[in-house]
Amino acid sequence: MRAREVRPPAPAVPPMTAKFVFVTGGVVSGLGKGITAASLGTILTARGLRVSLLKLDPYINIDPGTMSPYQHGEVFVLDDGAETDLDLGHYERFVDVSLTRASNVTAGKIYSEVIAKERRGDYLGATVQVIPHVTNEIKERILRVAEAADAEVVIVEVGGTAGDIESLPFLEAIRQLKNDVGRRNTFYLHLTLVPYLSGSEEYKSKPTQHSVQTLRGIGIQPDAIVCRSRERLGSGLRDKIALFADVEARAVISLPDAATIYQVPLLLEASGLGAYLLEQLELGCGPADLRAWERLVGRITAALDVVRIGIAGKYVELPDAYLSVTEALRHAAVVHDVGLELRWINTETLDPADRSVFEGLHGIVVPGGFGHRGIEGKIAASRYARHQRVPYLGLCLGMQCATIDLAREALDTGDCNSTEFSAFTEHPVIDLLPEQRDVTEMGGTMRLGLYPCKLLPGSRAAQAYGEALVYERHRHRFEFNNRYRDRLAQAGVVFSGTSPDDRLVEIIELRGHPFFVASQFHPEFRSRPHRPHPLVRAFMAACVDRAGLAIEPELPGGAVAIQLA
Ligand code: GLN
């Protein structure tokens, strides 16, 4: 006799006032889906709407914390210590919100939760399946974000490309939500590539047609198509895409390459996407006020002078690994109306005796990182900046490398190191905290997220912040070893930021240097386009100074001569 089928209850759909915009991608990856989702957030918040965002990542890792930057680019850290996809960085920067770990859902999190529930017996004897158990879990997480953020609109980005095996349960879940929350409360936006064929000198819509077909095969009919292309697409091609994709012509949005990513909200708004979305979702609100964004883009594109900054890191062929660092530098550059010229310095191949790679730089940044590869090159970067009086900003590992560099000179021995790179060094100036020594698991076991940092009055850091106590995001396992505090203080190191109990060193700086500041935390994660991070901003001021960007008397025709040192 067959057992009676036991059906799990459908997920409880709370009385929802939120609207959901789902962003999917097709044709190829790397089209800027995250920036598009974030920009959508910008144009909706610019209308006074409460917006929250969430990314569904179809990989099996619980979070990207254990992934190589080669696989995944930067790991973005939130206030609550969640290690998340770099698109959450775009969301926070474009919408000016602070998100929580609920905003990054991975297949790994979904499956481990489903399996834990199965082990607990929560499914009451049911056969646990992708539909409905996995899809219910996904839907619950989406609904939870809407509730927790009390959002009027939730933007849900689905990672991967339509047609990927991994993303199927996620696409199925967002398909089901249409009926769960009501058709008028959902909007499906599909981002595709419209390639240009130079041979026949035309844009091709076929990949977009195929991608929409794939999406339809899964049961999702897009409400709008955003077409990425080199230049703006003409109405003929947009009409053709509208016909094949079965959307209104005004719902085919051309998104050409932009001068800066911060222009994307303006391009989307100008294309009418915001108005169309509101109409379809029957959302009443005021017009979009994007004046601050217009000013920002105006300043970025008008900047004529350039500050040359070297980023000394390991993943120089993959700038996505340092995305928040470069964005934070850009935000700070805007304040000074200068452009950025980044020089990527590969510390793995760098000969520490070769100083030529640093020559002509107006500032040097050593960003975060893990493992011993390239360490000596980063230490050499700190030494060069110190001796040549070039502004230096150390971010986490950049602070640890600066400490090693300083200690080697102050203690007059090369045998100073972090125990991460040299377990038996004579002078472990950077070492594990006692509580970190017994940690055996790699994932999620670092010192993560927001911690307070007390600033030393009168220090450069305190001046930059203009505050006595600040909160910053962390992602590290190793710490400054307090046994060396006095010795380094004698050598001119100022411990300008510490934990409130004084136990952990958070910021070091150098007395008598134009700007040499390094932090154990990651300031770059909290920088916003309209609110550059104070430390990065102060660093940029020193770089501008170093570049000798003095404004000369006006030349005929209103041009301004700029002197570069
Ligand atoms: N690897 C170093 C640590 O774990 C620095 C980490 C980082 O730069 N994010 O402490």
Side-chain angles (χ1 to χ4, degrees):
M1 200 175 66
R2 264 194 77 183
R4 198 162 59 91
E5 196 182 353
V6 185
R7 288 205 155 268
V13 178
M16 244 329 134
T17 47
K19 310 277 184 177
F20 296 86
V21 180
F22 301 104
V23 180
T24 55
V27 184
V28 291
S29 60
L31 285 179
K33 196 156 27 100
I35 292 170
T36 305
S39 301
L40 219 53
T42 310
I43 61 178
L44 295 177
T45 33
R47 291 174 158 85
L49 291 164
R50 281 191 312 280
V51 175
S52 195
L53 301 99
L54 132 118
K55 171 103 194 254
L56 305 175
D57 271 315
Y59 49 71
I60 311 281
N61 303 58
I62 298 285
D63 61 43
T66 53
M67 268 187 239
S68 155
Y70 283 119
Q71 297 286 318
H72 197 266
E74 167 184 275
V75 173
F76 190 79
V77 181
L78 305 181
D79 283 350
D80 64 10
E83 298 174 276
T84 70
D85 185 77
L86 54 75
D87 280 331
L88 274 85
H90 290 311
Y91 303 168
E92 286 203 343
R93 289 187 282 267
F94 278 71
V95 182
D96 204 1
V97 281
S98 289
L99 298 169
T100 70
R101 64 178 65 248
S103 280
N104 199 181
V105 174
T106 64
K109 279 186 192 161
I110 296 292
Y111 279 95
S112 62
E113 183 64 30
V114 168
I115 291 167
K117 283 185 179 168
E118 185 275 332
R119 292 289 80 184
R120 280 202 305 265
D122 290 4
Y123 294 120
L124 306 174
T127 306
V128 181
Q129 293 172 303
V130 172
I131 304 171
H133 302 91
V134 168
T135 47
N136 278 357
E137 191 66 40
I138 296 170
K139 291 195 288 184
E140 262 164 29
R141 302 239 176 180
I142 296 172
L143 298 173
R144 235 182 270 162
V145 167
E147 250 199 318
D150 190 23
E152 289 166 284
V153 183
V154 181
I155 298 169
V156 184
E157 179 190 348
V158 185
T161 309
D164 294 348
I165 289 179
E166 289 87 351
S167 50
L168 284 175
F170 290 94
L171 294 172
E172 168 62 15
I174 66 167
R175 182 196 70 75
Q176 291 175 14
L177 269 176
K178 184 175 196 161
N179 285 325
D180 293 348
V181 301
R183 280 155 200 268
R184 279 293 172 206
N185 296 326
T186 55
F187 189 96
Y188 297 86
L189 184 144
H190 192 51
L191 181 76
T192 70
L193 173 73
V194 178
Y196 182 77
L197 287 195
S198 46
S200 51
E201 293 189 7
E202 55 180 348
Y203 283 102
K204 291 298 198 184
S205 68
K206 191 68 80 187
T208 297
Q209 294 177 35
H210 281 302
S211 171
V212 170
Q213 272 166 21
T214 306
L215 208 56
R216 281 212 201 114
I218 301 163
I220 296 173
Q221 165 61 44
D223 296 300
I225 318 267
V226 174
C227 302
R228 287 282 296 110
S229 54
R230 250 174 34 192
E231 286 152 346
R232 180 164 291 286
L233 299 179
S235 60
L237 196 70
R238 282 189 280 123
D239 287 348
K240 186 174 169 188
I241 292 172
L243 184 67
F244 279 100
D246 196 19
V247 298
E248 286 185 59
R250 60 193 178 122
V252 178
I253 308 294
S254 170
L255 183 58
D257 290 349
T260 147
I261 55 170
Y262 298 114
Q263 202 177 5
V264 176
L266 301 178
L267 291 172
L268 290 183
E269 182 58 27
S271 72
L273 179 62
Y276 187 72
L277 205 97
L278 295 175
E279 180 193 307
Q280 295 302 306
L281 290 173
E282 295 173 350
L283 258 175
C285 59
D289 179 1
L290 287 162
R291 279 173 299 180
W293 288 83
E294 281 158 12
R295 276 196 300 276
L296 177 78
V297 171
R299 286 178 82 170
I300 294 174
T301 48
L304 296 174
D305 322 319
V306 171
V307 164
R308 207 176 302 123
I309 290 177
I311 301 187
K314 200 159 59 170
Y315 303 103
V316 292
E317 67 283 15
L318 188 88
D320 261 7
Y322 304 113
L323 189 63
S324 293
V325 177
T326 51
E327 290 313 306
L329 290 171
R330 265 182 239 291
H331 305 159
V334 173
V335 176
H336 299 282
D337 288 304
V338 292
L340 269 188
E341 183 187 319
L342 297 178
R343 187 188 294 171
W344 295 95
I345 299 164
N346 188 341
T347 50
E348 246 189 295
T349 53
L350 177 76
D351 169 5
D354 174 17
R355 293 147 55 109
S356 64
V357 287
F358 301 119
E359 270 159 23
L361 291 175
H362 306 134
I364 295 177
V365 178
V366 177
F370 295 83
H372 72 277
R373 288 189 294 123
I375 285 304
E376 290 304 321
K378 292 175 191 176
I379 295 168
S382 157
R383 181 147 303 189
Y384 181 90
R386 227 155 38 75
H387 289 179
Q388 301 301 317
R389 300 174 64 74
V390 178
Y392 178 89
L393 183 66
L395 308 170
C396 202
L397 181 63
M399 179 268 204
Q400 300 179 351
C401 288
T403 303
I404 298 168
D405 165 39
L406 283 156
R408 286 182 183 174
E409 207 165 88
L411 305 175
D412 197 19
T413 165
D415 199 1
C416 298
N417 220 322
S418 160
T419 48
E420 181 181 5
F421 318 126
S422 173
F424 304 107
T425 176
E426 193 185 340
H427 295 290
V429 288
I430 305 289
D431 199 3
L432 283 179
L433 281 180
E435 56 263 40
Q436 283 282 7
R437 293 217 169 94
D438 302 324
V439 171
T440 49
E441 294 217 333
M442 291 303 280
T445 54
M446 281 184 270
R447 184 163 179 253
L448 289 165
L450 223 51
Y451 285 94
C453 167
K454 185 182 68 179
L455 301 172
L456 182 73
S459 63
R460 206 175 265 283
Q463 278 166 15
Y465 281 100
E467 281 170 84
L469 187 74
V470 293
Y471 290 82
E472 293 286 0
R473 296 182 185 177
H474 297 68
R475 181 175 186 246
H476 65 111
R477 219 180 285 280
F478 293 80
E479 298 281 351
F480 182 92
N481 184 342
N482 287 325
R483 265 171 41 209
Y484 293 92
R485 255 204 229 189
D486 290 345
R487 191 66 196 78
L488 289 184
Q490 283 160 22
V493 178
V494 179
F495 297 94
S496 52
T498 59
S499 55
D501 64 2
D502 211 35
R503 187 170 157 243
L504 304 174
V505 171
E506 290 277 8
I507 310 176
I508 61 166
E509 55 188 70
L510 215 49
R511 200 172 287 123
H513 188 285
F515 189 96
F516 193 98
V517 178
S519 62
Q520 187 56 84
F521 51 80
H522 291 271
E524 69 272 22
F525 292 140
R526 300 197 83 196
S527 181
R528 303 281 162 89
H530 309 288
R531 267 183 299 120
H533 191 281
L535 278 189
V536 188
R537 184 178 169 156
F539 166 70
M540 191 59 68
C543 299
V544 168
D545 220 37
R546 170 88 185 177
L549 286 171
I551 296 175
E552 294 279 291
E554 270 200 330
L555 291 178
V560 174
I562 301 302
Q563 227 183 338
L564 273 172

